[in-house]
């Protein structure tokens, strides 16, 4: 049906270069503008709703009802995180009570470049659920996709391309995570890793390789398509693992 | 000191015309050559010694030049890598650079002759070269008069470069052709020859202020001019591509180009240099990758 790229460690290396280059500019945009772009992604996805439904039915073996549900929730989820972009800092930032004459506050800043191993189930929604919370706060992301319907990831790339998303913010690699995980874990320019559905072995490798550069790790179990659709699978706490809190002590008073 | 031919009435030499398609094809073919691990490490280390670590900004300060010199001496404080070939700065920064590379093999290079435009009277340009020489520069990078060259006044170009060569004294003279402004490969070839005739120790592609700067085909054309000049006169002129070379991979390709066109005699810092400001960190990143097997990040390196 299609020949799908099998990403090598060098493709991953190149993707990190792109993601790193794009990160400053993406994080430098106003939170509101990032929200606008995420919202636009939702709109573009919705405008191609039927095409995605057809692929989910034809390639991933979904029933028509399930396919419609997955696409609709994917659109909603993009809108959900679009809304969070300019509220996240208020909710999770803080003014801290301190026992000296300082105005002391903590604000979240993006971790930087995030590599994400996407779920095997829910080829569209799983991807969106991994991508949106990571980029909403100003990170750039490299999505590693290994599932039965990888063409969906490439279709999603077309949606992103028409959403005013700057180049390099989302990088999609289709390939075998088993071949890539060691290099992803060991790459010193990757700030954080999200791995959905990691085997014990994969977890061990990522943690071992990432230890040297103290890469942040977030592991989550894979879920069924129905679970991915549920409200349990979206939360601002999907954003918090990929930010660093910066605390500032500002002298005040006499 | 090699002899510098001087003639009162210089006649522009006949140079072979350049097949543009063939030059591009040959450059791209040599660029596709695969360089494997051991050769790559050797090449990367050699590239460090061939580097003219450059800062040519209006915003240069003594502090910036000092840290550049520090980086030139010890590219990576944690590793035992060689120092670079030279630091390249604007004339007022020569004494600063001189002080901070004292006691090392690193040369101080300075641009002169109203870099980057060269738009000034000859005696002003000569005077600047003399001043830079007296300030202690080991190498002086001058620009040719493109205005004269493009107007077909080849004799004048030759006369001016000869005067600059004489003014440079014992310092090595690198002549910048600014190939981005010369329009054709034939012109590059002719300008190369004129510069070498006039006594250039090195010919250099670009100032870095004009785009396109150094490209593979233009470098190939200049290397071939050097080769033919050597066959004719027995004098070995050096080559310096500069401008826009920021990554280790293209830099390694330049080494292939030199090796295939001129041979091992030119694969030394005495005859081949690369002018760059940000290349060094990428060389260090690639060396670290070969050492540890992990992709490295420039966040672990000093600025520069």
């Amino acid at each position: 049906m299609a020949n799908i790229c099998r990403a090598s460690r060098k493709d991953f290396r190149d993707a990190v270069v792109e993601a790193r280059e794009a990160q400053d500019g993406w994080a430098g945009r106003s939170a509101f503008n990032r929200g606008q772009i995420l919202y636009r992604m939702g709109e573009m996805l919705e405008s191609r709703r039927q095409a995605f439904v057809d692929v989910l039915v034809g390639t991933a073996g979904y029933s028509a009802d399930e396919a419609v549900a997955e696409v609709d929730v994917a659109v909603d989820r993009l809108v959900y995180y679009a809304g969070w972009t300019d509220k996240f800092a208020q909710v999770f930032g803080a003014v801290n009570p301190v026992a000296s004459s300082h105005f002391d506050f903590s604000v979240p800043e993006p971790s930087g470049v995030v590599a994400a191993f996407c779920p095997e189930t829910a080829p569209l929604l799983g991807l969106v659920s991994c991508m949106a919370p990571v980029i909403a706060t100003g990170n750039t992301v490299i999505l590693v996709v290994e599932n039965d319907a990888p063409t969906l990831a490439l279709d999603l790339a077309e949606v992103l391309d028409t959403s005013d998303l700057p180049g390099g913010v989302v990088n999609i690699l289709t390939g075998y995570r088993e071949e890539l995980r060691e290099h992803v874990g060991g790459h010193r320019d990757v700030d954080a890793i999200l791995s959905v559905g990691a085997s014990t072995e994969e977890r061990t490798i990522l943690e071992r390789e990432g230890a040297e550069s103290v890469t942040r790790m977030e592991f989550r179990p894979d879920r069924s398509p129905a679970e991915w659709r549920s409200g349990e699978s979206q939360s601002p706490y999907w954003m918090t693992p990929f930010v660093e809190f910066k605390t500032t002590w500002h002298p005040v008073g006499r | 000191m090699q002899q510098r031919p001087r003639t009162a009435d210089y006649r522009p030499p006949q140079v072979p015309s350049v097949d543009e398609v063939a030059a591009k094809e040959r450059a791209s073919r040599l660029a596709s050559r695969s360089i494997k691990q051991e050769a790559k490490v050797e090449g990367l280390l050699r590239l460090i010694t061939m580097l003219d670590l450059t800062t040519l900004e209006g915003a240069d300060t003594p502090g910036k030049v000092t840290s550049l010199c520090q980086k030139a001496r010890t590219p990576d404080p944690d590793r035992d890598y060689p120092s670079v070939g030279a630091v390249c700065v604007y004339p007022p920064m020569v004494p600063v650079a001189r002080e901070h590379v004292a006691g090392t093999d690193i040369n101080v290079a300075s641009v002169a002759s109203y870099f980057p435009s060269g738009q000034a009277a000859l005696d002003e340009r000569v005077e600047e070269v003399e001043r830079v020489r007296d300030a202690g520069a080991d190498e002086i990078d001058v620009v040719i008069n493109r205005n004269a060259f493009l107007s077909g006044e080849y004799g004048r170009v030759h006369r001016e470069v000869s005067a600059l060569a004489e003014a440079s004294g014992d310092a090595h003279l690198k002549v910048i052709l600014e190939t981005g402004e010369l329009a054709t490969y034939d012109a590059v070839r002719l300008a190369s020859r004129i510069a070498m005739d006039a006594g250039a120790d090195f010919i250099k592609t670009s100032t870095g202020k004009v785009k396109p700067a150094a490209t593979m085909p233009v470098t190939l054309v200049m290397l071939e001019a050097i080769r033919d000049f050597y066959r004719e006169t027995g004098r070995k002129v050096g080559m310096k591509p500069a401008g826009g070379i920021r990554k280790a991979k293209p830099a390694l390709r330049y080494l292939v180009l030199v090796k295939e066109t001129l041979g091992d005699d030119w694969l030394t810092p005495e005859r081949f240099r690369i002018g760059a400001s940000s290349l060094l960190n990428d060389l260090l990143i690639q060396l670290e990758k070969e050492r540890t097997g992990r992709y490295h990040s420039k966040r672990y390196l000093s600025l520069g």
Side-chain angles (χ1 to χ4, degrees):
Chain A
M1 183 184 147
N3 291 313
I4 299 296
C5 295
R6 175 176 170 178
S8 69
R9 67 185 171 87
K10 293 190 175 181
D11 295 316
F12 177 71
R13 171 198 65 186
D14 292 348
V16 173
V17 171
E18 293 300 317
R20 173 60 63 198
E21 203 134 291
Q23 203 264 319
D24 265 355
W26 181 239
R29 297 208 176 205
S30 67
F32 175 64
N33 185 225
R34 285 199 301 275
Q36 285 177 306
I37 290 170
L38 277 164
Y39 190 86
R40 183 75 182 144
M41 282 181 201
E43 284 183 335
M44 294 314 288
L45 182 59
E46 190 164 37
S47 73
R48 298 181 51 162
R49 188 165 175 261
Q50 194 54 47
F52 278 92
V53 168
D54 291 346
V55 179
L56 281 170
V57 172
T59 312
Y62 274 52
S63 71
D65 286 350
E66 267 205 314
V68 167
E70 173 146 338
V71 176
D72 286 349
V73 174
V75 172
D76 290 349
R77 194 147 293 169
L78 285 166
V79 173
Y80 173 84
Y81 285 110
W84 265 111
T85 53
D86 60 354
K87 296 162 193 76
F88 183 73
Q90 288 99 300
V91 175
F92 288 89
V95 174
N96 313 312
V98 289
S100 62
S101 54
H102 288 92
F103 175 45
D104 185 297
F105 53 98
S106 301
V107 288
E109 292 187 344
S111 295
V113 172
V114 180
F117 292 97
C118 297
E120 205 182 331
T121 58
L124 175 64
L125 185 56
L127 219 58
V128 168
S129 304
C130 286
M131 172 190 76
V134 172
I135 65 172
T137 52
N139 296 295
T140 52
V141 69
I142 297 127
L143 302 170
V144 179
V145 178
E146 178 186 349
N147 60 33
D148 293 338
T151 52
L152 259 173
L154 307 179
D155 291 336
L156 184 68
E158 288 179 12
V159 168
L160 304 183
D161 189 43
T162 47
S163 305
D164 295 331
L165 185 74
V169 175
V170 176
N171 305 270
I172 301 176
L173 298 178
T174 51
Y176 298 117
R177 53 204 280 176
E178 196 182 309
E179 290 177 356
L180 293 170
R181 59 197 184 192
E182 192 182 334
H183 305 286
V184 174
H187 200 309
R188 289 172 175 170
D189 214 16
V190 171
D191 298 292
I193 295 172
L194 164 64
S195 178
V196 177
S199 62
T200 315
E201 194 192 355
E202 178 173 301
R203 188 174 174 143
T204 308
I205 290 172
L206 287 175
E207 286 183 332
R208 185 188 66 219
E209 294 299 315
E212 197 244 5
S213 52
V214 208
T215 308
R216 273 191 190 285
M217 302 274 169
E218 176 74 4
F219 295 96
R220 293 197 194 117
D222 202 349
R223 310 161 175 228
S224 69
E227 284 169 332
W228 279 113
R229 288 197 297 273
S230 87
E232 304 284 305
S233 294
Q234 62 183 28
S235 154
Y237 291 100
W238 285 59
M239 305 161 80
T240 47
F242 308 106
V243 295
E244 317 291 329
F245 282 93
K246 180 173 81 181
T247 296
T248 305
W249 294 66
H250 189 79
V252 289
R254 291 153 289 173
Chain B
M1 192 80 238
Q2 285 161 327
Q3 210 185 0
R4 287 169 169 155
R6 301 229 21 218
T7 45
D9 6 63
Y10 176 76
R11 289 168 60 82
Q14 288 289 319
V15 294
S17 69
V18 180
D19 182 339
E20 187 179 328
V21 175
K24 282 182 174 159
E25 176 59 28
R26 177 149 175 81
S28 78
R29 191 165 293 194
L30 290 175
S32 69
R33 185 169 297 182
S34 166
I35 301 167
K36 294 303 178 196
Q37 206 148 27
E38 265 173 59
K40 188 193 278 178
V41 171
E42 174 63 30
L44 292 169
L45 289 171
R46 200 174 285 203
L47 278 166
I48 295 180
T49 69
M50 292 168 162
L51 198 64
D52 279 5
L53 194 60
T54 304
T55 182
L56 295 171
E57 303 294 335
D60 287 348
T61 59
K64 187 175 175 198
V65 172
T66 303
S67 67
L68 186 85
C69 292
Q70 182 60 45
K71 182 114 180 154
R73 288 157 54 154
T74 39
D76 184 342
D78 297 331
R79 306 264 94 78
D80 194 21
Y81 294 145
S83 55
V84 307
V87 289
C88 184
V89 295
Y90 268 125
M93 295 298 153
V94 170
V96 181
R98 187 76 275 162
E99 183 192 333
H100 288 98
V101 299
T104 69
D105 296 336
I106 303 168
N107 282 345
V108 174
S110 175
V111 294
S113 81
Y114 283 74
F115 177 95
S117 72
Q119 292 278 25
L122 179 60
D123 48 358
E124 290 173 312
R125 297 170 65 209
V126 166
E127 196 193 311
E128 197 188 20
V129 169
E130 287 169 347
R131 238 184 307 128
V132 164
R133 179 198 68 197
D134 293 343
D138 307 294
E139 304 173 5
I140 303 174
D141 292 24
V142 301
V143 289
I144 64 163
N145 185 337
R146 277 92 73 193
N147 163 12
F149 182 87
L150 294 170
S151 316
E153 298 178 62
Y154 304 127
R156 186 169 153 210
V157 175
H158 180 269
R159 197 164 60 247
E160 292 188 359
V161 176
S162 299
L164 296 170
E166 193 175 350
S168 67
D170 286 343
H172 265 238
L173 188 78
K174 305 199 202 100
V175 178
I176 303 168
L177 308 181
E178 195 64 295
T179 53
E181 291 182 347
L182 297 186
T184 68
Y185 291 154
D186 284 334
V188 171
R189 176 91 200 206
L190 178 60
S192 301
R193 177 63 200 245
I194 295 172
M196 290 187 288
D197 276 342
D201 295 309
F202 263 80
I203 52 176
K204 173 175 167 184
T205 56
S206 326
T207 59
K209 307 292 181 197
V210 169
K211 286 198 171 99
T215 66
M216 295 278 291
V218 132
T219 305
L220 178 65
V221 169
M222 291 170 70
L223 289 169
E224 285 175 348
I226 291 171
R227 180 192 63 200
D228 294 349
F229 184 76
Y230 168 64
R231 284 180 184 160
E232 210 175 298
T233 67
R235 195 160 81 85
K236 290 178 175 172
V237 176
M239 174 69 202
K240 177 177 171 185
I245 307 169
R246 294 189 187 89
K247 299 285 172 193
K249 192 174 265 185
L252 284 167
R253 290 173 181 160
Y254 279 98
L255 291 188
V256 175
L257 214 57
V258 172
K259 163 92 178 163
E260 291 301 322
T261 314
L262 294 166
D264 291 342
D265 271 10
W266 267 263
L267 281 179
T268 73
E270 286 75 43
R271 298 219 177 81
F272 185 71
R273 293 286 179 80
I274 288 185
S277 48
S278 54
L279 172 61
L280 182 54
N281 268 353
D282 199 54
L283 295 176
L284 297 176
I285 283 174
Q286 302 312 325
L287 280 166
E288 192 66 4
K289 158 73 175 64
E290 297 305 326
R291 197 180 68 84
T292 64
R294 289 193 164 96
Y295 289 115
H296 200 46
S297 164
K298 70 177 175 200
R299 284 178 298 174
Y300 293 82
L301 302 169
S302 60
L303 295 173

